[in-house]
Amino acid sequence: MKTSGRFALAVSGGQQVDKISWLEGNILLSNKNIHLIGDDSRISVSLSNITMISDDNDSAQSIAVFSNDMRKYVRVGFENNVVIVSSTNHGEFIEELYKAAIGGNKIKCKH
């Protein structure tokens, strides 16, 4: 999947980033990696290294402090880092991200 949007590193090496710097660019998602490509920066994450995906209301509320609008965001945790991603087509992106992260594995859940 290829889309555009913005992204920022919120946690780097286990430490919260004091001043979040948003980058505009392309978001590329495959069945193995997610690539966030800006003009001056690139973040590549192997899906096997993802430890957390959060698309809940709490993250949108806390991120609103750093943003001038109420776009939808997803937080992706990997290797003691957290990146915040806002895609132009959030619904499709988050669905494809979850599908790619699961990778065809069966997940048991109790409700």
Side-chain angles (χ1 to χ4, degrees):
M1 170 182 198
K2 180 180 179 179
T3 187
S4 61
R6 63 185 186 164
F7 44 89
L9 197 59
V11 176
S12 179
Q15 300 294 316
Q16 185 171 342
V17 175
D18 290 331
K19 186 176 180 183
I20 290 183
S21 179
W22 293 102
L23 301 170
E24 299 279 339
N26 291 313
I27 302 167
L28 304 173
L29 176 64
S30 72
N31 63 345
K32 295 185 188 237
N33 300 295
I34 180 172
H35 301 284
L36 309 170
I37 305 165
D39 289 338
D40 300 326
S41 182
R42 178 184 182 131
I43 300 170
S44 295
V45 181
S46 171
L47 296 180
S48 63
N49 290 337
I50 291 177
T51 56
M52 178 266 302
I53 298 173
S54 177
D55 183 39
D56 56 25
N57 291 332
D58 291 338
S59 66
Q61 291 171 2
S62 63
I63 292 166
V65 172
F66 304 109
S67 175
N68 293 329
D69 59 33
M70 291 301 292
R71 290 189 196 183
K72 297 217 177 226
Y73 298 89
V74 61
R75 294 180 295 167
V76 179
F78 62 99
E79 301 172 351
N80 293 321
N81 302 301
V82 175
V83 68
I84 305 165
V85 181
S86 174
S87 171
T88 54
N89 52 349
H90 178 76
E92 181 183 356
F93 173 71
I94 192 69
E95 182 178 334
E96 292 300 318
L97 178 59
Y98 279 121
K99 282 182 189 177
I102 292 169
N105 294 318
K106 291 182 181 179
I107 297 176
K108 294 181 182 182
C109 61
K110 189 175 185 178
H111 57 90

